Amino acid sequence: MISAVELSGVSKHFDDLVAVDDLTLDIGDGEFFSLLGPSGCGKTTTLRMIAGFEFPTMGSLRIHGEEMGLLPPNKRPVNTVFQSYALFPHMTIEQNVGFGLLMQKVGGSEISERVARALDMVQLSHRAEARPDQLSGGQRQRIALARALVNEPEVLLLDEPLGALDLKLRQSMQIELKDLQHRVGITFIYVTHDQQEALTMSDRIGVMKDGKLLQVDDPQALYEHPKSRFVADFIGEINLVRAKVVDGATIELVGGTMVRATTGLSSGLDVNIAIRPERLSLNELGEAPDGRNSIEGTVVRRVYHGDFFFYEFDTPAGVLEIKEENRPSLPRYDEGSRLVASWSPDATTVVQD
Amino acid sequence: MPTDVDQVDPAQTVVTPELERDAERAQARRGLLIAAPSWLYLTLFFAIPLVIVFVYSFASRSSTGLTVLENWNLHSYRRLFDPLVAEIAFRSFVLAVATTLICLIASYPLAYYMATRPPRYRNILIILVMIPFWSNFLVRTYAWRVLLGSDGPISQISQALGGEPIRILFTNTAVLIGLVYGFLPFMVLPLFAALDRMDWSLIEAGRDLYANGRRAFLKITLPLSMPGVIAGSILVFIPTLGAYVTPAILGGARTTLLGDYIVSQFLSARNQPFGSALSVAVMSIMLLATVIYFRRGARTL
Amino acid sequence: MSQGTLTTARAEGALASLSWLVFAFLYAPIVVLAVLSFNENNNVGIWTNFSFKWYGEMFQNAAVMNALKNSLIVAVVSTSVSTVLGTATAVALERFRFRGQRVYDGLVYLPIIIPDVTMAVMMLLFFAQAFRMISGLGPHLNFGLSTISLSHIAFSISFVAVVVRAKLGQLDPALDEAAADLYAGRWMAFRKVTLPLIAPAVAGGALLALTISLDDVVVTSFVAGPGSTTLPVYVFGLVRRGVTPLINAVSVVMLTASMVLVAISLVFQRDRGAKTSTAEE
């Protein structure tokens, strides 16, 4: 199968700054792929190179097997949804959506037909005559989508398209976007710094840092099995504990506690173990379930969050954050209680660096 | 143009640093091409004339007063220190400083008043300042010649009230009035812009802290509006220093300023090298003032 | 903004009176001039009757009409050329990076800073020198409307460029990219997206160039030739000799023309405000 977008050895230098460093990545046809990372990590530059707004300093960039090289944006089979939406303020919504078709010299009647369909798809047919500044943020966002999708691109590029919306609208738009992608079946490449957004929407996620692609995986794998300290820390909340490999199956945490974990790493190596707060559970001393790693400690703080309790648990390995569901069947522990925290060896992710 | 489906665009190859540089250069060439007409124009009709003035300022004169482009010398620059020239320069400088100060003092309350009005009302006030700003400068200066004339309205009113006829036309006072009148809008607009940009909650906070309107103004409003004060002062000072039209219409024989002195070197005295040297000197002072302004401006931003 | 609480009522009152005093200072001379232009008497100082006599005389006066014609020719030529060149300058400076750009940038700003007396001297010496050199080759050129227009273009380009550049700088750069992304080539992107969005600023710059051209006395009087006097230069020559009712009438016509230009520019600005509110959000 031909990949939708195929980058190989792509780098981008701005003078002395290496914005993207030797990036190799295959994005499958029809995939919802997210590029995730903090600002300045190179994710937007990568997207802009695919769109043709920037040319790589070196490397191969193919779209549906075709080398893009120095092809300008107007000759690439991709369309972009901009963070600022970049709707043309001097045109009506209809003219905005029809602009791409007009530039491709599509016939007038076909343009109006396709524009009508695109507006219908985003449920904004009734605003066809309006100007962008008469629309709400969410409506502009949908017009930006319609304006890109009406051209039936092979790949749709989205640059933090929900960044300007408030939380509620953002959440509903996330679902709408995912639905839309299913319906149109186009490859979506989505740039975001919001890990929650990436986890909810994507088929696969590529995490970037300092111009490098650190890990590409589906959301679950990324969350459960981060391969580096950075990825573990960037995605979701996590406890990171410094540790040393004793042998292939045993690790000694800082403070001396021995835990079991599967690792192919050689003895004596300094590592970190990463445990999600919701994978930890608290029990009375001596009541930790068999077969689980455990460590004793004291509750130093309990914070009520409605659907869960959040504990700060002081142990010889440092303060662990623990999330316990708020259910009547589960006990709640007071601050100062001596308890034991336990977790399954499967949930013990070992990361280097 | 028919295109072959299988034909591969020459641009469609794996990018190398050389190709990227080529693309950047092509883009730079496009920019250069767009810049070229005005670049050429300004080189030919601005930069070269500027150089010619500079060259002429070192030239010598024939016995009949014609400029001779040989025997290069510094005579013209030496003449800048003549007592007569120094007196004219000093008078121009004093007049320019006075004009700037009076404009500043008159404009500040107005700009402050404008900035503190509700938006609708404020827009009308802006238009009221804009109209004289855009109006013909010559005509506005001429209006004062009419007003200040010995049989003009002011003089007539004075006489009707039993006073003396007003005789200030062709004096430094008349020139000063004309300059203030001419350049006042150049001070109001930047001041207003600076005050309008200001975060007024700071002054409320200042009123809380100092509990005294005057101190709040001196400690907060004035410093924050400094960029506007500087911009306005430069906009008034520079053209007044080289003013020609105003002294020519409202001034007299004993009120020669740098501007009309330079003009007279070309139109009556026929001393082009000296006129050029004067121009170079005035221009240098103005460039210096502007550079200082931009340095200061950059720091206050 | 609760600015009303910032100043006491007395301070507020003083501020308002001072402000209106300044406005009175700005407008009184213009109003007096306008009133006097309708005075029938030959002597400006003695009011006799309200009349349009001097306006009639003005239109009969061949010298005034010729100067007006010259002014309009120069204004139209210099405004159109400098608007095109100035807009291109703004685009080149704001949207491209090329070698020598800083020098170019400085060259564009210099004419705004340089006093008009210096500019006048520059143009006079330049054309005189150029004509001497050309006459050595044969053709004999002279000062006239062409030298005036060339000089006006030289300082107007900069004003247009500054106004248009400010507007370009405010535009969301993603708008250009969006046009390219939607299959517009460079020229189409400029024509369909950038140009309509900067149009108010281009018009504003053109109006500024027009006003400056119609205002200029100093540079024009240096580079004008026989018979090529413009209206401001002609009026200036008369004014230096004294006040006449005819100049009053001409002055009021010139003032009215500038006010019409202000009105037009305000209409453009209002339009600009309405259209760009999204781009700046």
Side-chain angles (χ1 to χ4, degrees):
Chain A
M1 195 185 87
I2 282 181
S3 310
V5 175
E6 203 180 338
L7 295 110
S8 118
V10 170
S11 293
K12 177 66 184 174
H13 300 188
F14 292 107
D15 297 321
D16 290 336
L17 179 89
V18 181
V20 174
D21 190 5
D22 194 19
L23 193 95
T24 296
L25 173 66
D26 264 16
I27 297 170
D29 210 5
E31 196 174 11
F32 194 123
F33 189 92
S34 290
L35 278 169
L36 175 66
S39 64
C41 71
K43 57 190 193 299
T44 297
T45 306
T46 306
L47 195 79
R48 291 171 60 80
M49 286 193 287
I50 300 171
F53 303 140
E54 312 274 2
F55 297 128
T57 302
M58 57 190 129
S60 155
L61 194 161
R62 293 161 181 272
I63 297 175
H64 279 233
E66 219 176 309
E67 185 62 47
M68 286 296 119
L70 299 176
L71 222 52
N74 53 321
K75 293 187 179 150
R76 298 192 179 203
V78 299
N79 287 108
T80 308
V81 175
F82 292 85
Q83 184 170 17
S84 63
Y85 314 139
L87 297 181
F88 305 128
H90 58 301
M91 296 182 194
T92 63
I93 295 313
E94 209 170 12
Q95 289 166 337
N96 261 284
V97 177
F99 187 82
L101 299 174
L102 190 70
M103 290 298 115
Q104 293 177 93
K105 301 199 167 65
V106 173
S109 58
E110 193 188 338
I111 291 183
S112 35
E113 200 178 295
R114 279 167 71 177
V115 168
R117 235 185 302 140
L119 287 176
D120 198 40
M121 175 181 71
V122 295
Q123 291 141 42
L124 280 170
S125 304
H126 58 293
R127 300 311 307 269
E129 301 299 327
R131 297 215 177 242
D133 58 355
Q134 295 167 317
L135 301 187
S136 68
Q139 287 176 327
R140 281 185 220 171
Q141 213 283 319
R142 302 217 297 264
I143 294 303
L145 258 173
R147 187 177 70 172
L149 285 173
V150 75
N151 304 294
E152 294 165 9
E154 291 172 20
V155 178
L156 185 72
L157 308 173
L158 304 100
D159 183 11
E160 309 234 11
L162 307 180
L165 304 179
D166 63 53
L167 182 67
K168 259 225 146 70
L169 196 55
R170 198 154 70 219
Q171 284 168 342
S172 76
M173 282 303 298
Q174 285 174 9
I175 297 165
E176 226 176 280
L177 261 180
K178 185 74 195 158
D179 271 1
L180 191 70
Q181 195 250 347
H182 268 298
R183 265 185 294 155
V184 296
I186 292 173
T187 311
F188 275 36
I189 304 180
Y190 193 98
V191 159
T192 181
H193 66 273
D194 182 337
Q195 41 99 9
Q196 196 57 50
E197 201 167 276
L199 289 177
T200 329
M201 301 167 73
S202 320
D203 296 322
R204 278 195 311 154
I205 300 171
V207 182
M208 288 186 74
K209 187 202 174 197
D210 298 336
K212 287 199 172 68
L213 194 59
L214 296 183
Q215 187 174 354
V216 180
D217 253 322
D218 63 75
Q220 198 170 345
L222 208 59
Y223 186 80
E224 310 279 353
H225 304 292
K227 286 184 181 142
S228 61
R229 191 191 153 101
F230 177 82
V231 173
D233 204 22
F234 192 73
I235 294 173
E237 280 160 31
I238 202 150
N239 294 296
L240 283 164
V241 180
R242 285 198 293 120
K244 200 184 264 310
V245 178
V246 176
D247 59 50
T250 318
I251 285 170
E252 183 187 351
L253 302 187
V254 63
T257 312
M258 294 292 193
V259 297
R260 277 173 296 135
T262 29
T263 166
L265 296 171
S266 51
S267 312
L269 214 60
D270 284 322
V271 294
N272 281 284
I273 70 158
I275 318 156
R276 298 281 173 199
E278 71 273 14
R279 292 307 173 95
L280 285 159
S281 52
L282 289 169
N283 292 97
E284 297 291 349
L285 286 177
E287 290 183 10
D290 289 342
R292 283 166 74 91
N293 290 322
S294 65
I295 188 165
E296 286 183 17
T298 313
V299 174
V300 289
R301 186 190 296 255
R302 184 184 72 200
V303 183
Y304 177 66
H305 273 263
D307 54 341
F308 64 90
F309 284 102
F310 190 82
Y311 294 98
E312 280 177 23
F313 191 64
D314 192 18
T315 72
V319 176
L320 297 178
E321 294 176 341
I322 300 174
K323 243 173 163 177
E324 288 269 37
E325 273 182 81
N326 180 11
R327 269 192 287 171
S329 58
L330 287 174
R332 86 168 65 160
Y333 303 103
D334 292 327
E335 287 168 12
S337 320
R338 284 291 294 173
L339 299 168
V340 59
S342 70
W343 67 96
S344 137
D346 297 342
T348 316
T349 307
V350 181
V351 293
Q352 268 184 295
D353 66 64
Chain B
M1 202 172 66
T3 47
D4 190 345
V5 184
D6 294 321
Q7 184 190 324
V8 176
D9 191 302
Q12 284 175 264
T13 52
V14 176
V15 184
T16 60
E18 290 71 37
L19 277 177
E20 187 208 20
R21 205 169 50 237
D22 288 349
E24 278 168 6
R25 281 190 186 152
Q27 183 68 2
R29 268 198 302 280
R30 258 170 239 125
L32 213 53
L33 204 66
I34 296 169
S38 65
W39 200 334
L40 281 174
Y41 194 97
L42 288 173
T43 304
L44 184 59
F45 293 107
F46 185 79
I48 291 177
L50 195 61
V51 171
I52 289 180
V53 171
F54 201 67
V55 169
Y56 267 58
S57 68
F58 297 102
S60 51
R61 290 171 76 206
S62 71
S63 51
T64 51
L66 288 175
T67 306
V68 182
L69 294 179
E70 46 197 47
N71 297 329
W72 306 105
N73 60 74
L74 290 169
H75 289 327
S76 303
Y77 285 97
R78 231 168 272 143
R79 247 191 93 183
L80 292 179
F81 300 97
D82 266 15
L84 173 70
V85 180
E87 190 197 319
I88 292 170
F90 181 71
R91 189 189 297 133
S92 299
F93 182 77
V94 169
L95 213 54
V97 169
T99 305
T100 309
L101 282 179
I102 296 173
C103 282
L104 186 59
I105 292 165
S107 304
Y108 207 102
L110 174 60
Y112 190 92
Y113 181 71
M114 284 165 70
T116 51
R117 291 314 96 187
R120 250 196 117 75
Y121 191 32
R122 181 167 35 192
N123 287 338
I124 296 171
L125 294 178
I126 294 170
I127 293 170
L128 280 179
V129 178
M130 288 289 280
I131 289 172
F133 181 81
W134 282 73
S135 295
N136 193 288
F137 187 86
L138 171 68
V139 171
R140 289 200 303 131
T141 311
Y142 169 69
W144 278 99
R145 172 121 182 192
V146 175
L147 276 176
L148 296 177
S150 52
D151 57 352
I154 294 181
S155 196
Q156 284 185 18
I157 291 169
S158 157
Q159 281 169 294
L161 296 173
E164 289 286 303
I166 302 286
R167 297 197 193 282
I168 55 171
L169 198 59
F170 311 130
T171 64
N172 282 327
T173 315
V175 177
L176 183 62
I177 292 174
L179 288 173
V180 168
Y181 184 68
F183 294 104
L184 192 65
F186 290 73
M187 182 68 90
V188 179
L189 292 174
L191 270 182
F192 166 74
L195 287 166
D196 192 41
R197 265 201 309 269
M198 207 160 67
D199 181 359
W200 288 89
S201 62
L202 287 174
I203 295 164
E204 284 183 29
R207 286 299 296 262
D208 268 1
L209 291 171
Y210 296 108
N212 170 329
R214 188 175 302 144
R215 291 200 61 192
F217 175 80
L218 288 176
K219 294 270 177 191
I220 296 158
T221 316
L222 197 58
L224 283 176
S225 61
M226 248 358 230
V229 171
I230 295 170
S233 301
I234 293 277
L235 284 179
V236 173
F237 182 79
I238 285 186
T240 42
L241 195 61
Y244 168 62
V245 171
T246 315
I249 295 178
L250 299 175
R254 279 172 302 154
T255 61
T256 308
L257 298 181
L258 280 173
D260 38 346
Y261 193 52
I262 291 174
V263 171
S264 71
Q265 296 310 315
F266 289 90
L267 299 189
S268 46
R270 298 191 121 283
N271 190 342
Q272 292 182 338
F274 179 53
S276 300
L278 275 170
S279 301
V280 171
V282 170
M283 191 167 52
S284 312
I285 294 171
M286 289 175 188
L287 284 181
L288 201 69
T290 314
V291 168
I292 291 171
Y293 161 61
F294 277 115
R295 286 268 166 80
R296 286 282 308 255
R299 217 179 301 152
T300 42
L301 277 175
Chain C
M1 281 190 287
S2 56
Q3 291 144 19
T5 59
L6 294 174
T7 36
T8 62
R10 257 182 69 195
E12 182 81 353
L15 197 60
S17 349
L18 275 174
S19 304
W20 287 106
L21 211 63
V22 174
F23 276 125
F25 173 67
L26 281 176
Y27 280 91
I30 300 177
V31 173
V32 169
L33 187 63
V35 171
L36 289 181
S37 72
F38 296 105
N39 182 8
E40 193 188 10
N41 201 304
N42 276 343
N43 188 327
V44 176
I46 303 160
W47 179 271
T48 39
N49 265 320
F50 178 90
S51 118
F52 287 102
K53 177 179 161 193
W54 299 108
Y55 289 92
E57 295 247 329
M58 179 182 80
F59 288 108
Q60 303 293 315
N61 189 317
V64 171
M65 285 301 114
N66 189 48
L68 176 64
K69 191 187 82 192
N70 287 341
S71 268
L72 291 178
I73 292 172
V74 169
V76 168
V77 170
S78 67
T79 302
S80 5
V81 176
S82 59
T83 302
V84 174
L85 291 185
T87 304
T89 304
V91 170
L93 280 172
E94 193 63 31
R95 289 286 191 261
F96 292 90
R97 291 290 158 262
F98 46 87
R99 202 178 289 180
Q101 195 167 20
R102 287 176 67 108
V103 176
Y104 177 55
D105 203 347
L107 184 63
V108 169
Y109 277 87
L110 219 47
I112 297 177
I113 303 165
I114 274 185
D116 46 5
V117 172
T118 309
M119 187 86 187
V121 170
M122 282 164 49
M123 298 324 275
L124 172 71
L125 296 183
F126 168 74
F127 284 121
Q129 187 70 41
F131 290 167
R132 261 201 301 281
M133 287 164 76
I134 292 169
S135 75
L137 302 172
H140 192 75
L141 299 178
N142 231 324
F143 287 95
L145 289 183
S146 52
T147 46
I148 302 175
S149 302
L150 287 170
S151 307
H152 284 201
I153 295 166
F155 55 70
S156 296
I157 289 175
S158 309
F159 286 96
V160 176
V162 167
V163 174
V164 175
R165 193 182 179 184
K167 180 70 197 171
L168 270 174
Q170 284 170 13
L171 286 187
D172 181 359
L175 288 170
D176 279 351
E177 292 176 353
D181 188 64
L182 294 166
Y183 312 103
R186 281 177 232 283
W187 173 241
M188 278 311 252
F190 180 75
R191 228 190 73 190
K192 294 278 182 185
V193 177
T194 313
L195 193 58
L197 290 174
I198 61 171
V202 173
L207 279 169
L208 191 58
L210 192 65
T211 310
I212 294 171
S213 171
L214 288 174
D215 257 20
D216 181 71
V217 174
V218 187
V219 178
T220 310
S221 60
F222 267 63
V223 295
S228 65
T229 309
T230 60
L231 193 54
V233 173
Y234 181 70
V235 171
F236 181 66
L238 292 179
V239 165
R240 297 188 78 177
R241 269 176 266 145
V243 173
T244 71
L246 181 68
I247 313 177
N248 288 355
V250 177
S251 298
V252 171
V253 169
M254 287 166 78
L255 269 184
T256 313
S258 8
M259 285 182 194
V260 169
L261 290 182
V262 188
I264 295 172
S265 87
L266 286 172
V267 169
F268 273 118
Q269 272 178 346
R270 177 160 302 177
D271 202 32
R272 171 163 47 180
K275 276 184 179 169
T276 52
S277 54
T278 37
E280 282 155 24
E281 251 175 40

